[in-house]
């Protein structure tokens, strides 16, 4: 999922059937609306939210199973890097 700072879903892609789209509401309430979130991993019940805030956008991966967290965060940071480089490239193009 990709959220803006207000908790609205900007982009979502589900790769597994065990994660449903309404789980995004849980993330908005538990993480974005909360003032005291200190860790990049939030667990609600049996669901883990792995999030990275880049500028005013949250990049979020959701899992119910054991996963390789280092690969997951490498992916989230790469998405943020590509997003930034795409933005810089589009802002320097002549109009």
């Amino acid at each position: 999922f990709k959220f803006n700072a207000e908790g609205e879903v900007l982009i979502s892609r589900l790769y597994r059937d065990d994660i449903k789209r309404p789980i995004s509401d849980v993330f908005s309430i538990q993480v974005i609306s909360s003032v005291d979130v200190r860790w990049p991993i939030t667990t609600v019940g049996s669901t883990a939210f792995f999030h990275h805030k880049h500028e005013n956008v949250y990049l979020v991966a959701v899992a119910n199973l054991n996963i390789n967290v280092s690969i997951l965060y490498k992916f989230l940071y790469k998405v943020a890097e590509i997003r930034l480089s795409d933005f810089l490239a589009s802002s320097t193009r002549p109009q």
Side-chain angles (χ1 to χ4, degrees), residues 29-42 51 58:
I29 294 166
Q30 295 291 324
V31 177
I32 296 176
S33 299
S34 179
V35 179
D36 60 329
V37 173
R38 296 181 222 152
W39 305 103
I41 300 172
T42 303
H51 46 92
Y58 284 89

Side-chain angles (χ1 to χ4, degrees), residues 60-94:
V60 182
V62 182
N64 287 343
L65 307 170
N66 286 337
I67 59 168
N68 187 330
V69 177
S70 62
I71 290 175
L72 177 80
Y73 274 103
K74 186 175 182 176
F75 172 76
L76 290 178
Y77 278 85
K78 194 64 168 176
V79 168
E81 179 185 321
I82 290 169
R83 180 179 173 265
L84 181 61
S85 66
D86 285 348
F87 173 74
L88 292 174
S90 66
S91 65
T92 58
R93 280 189 209 130

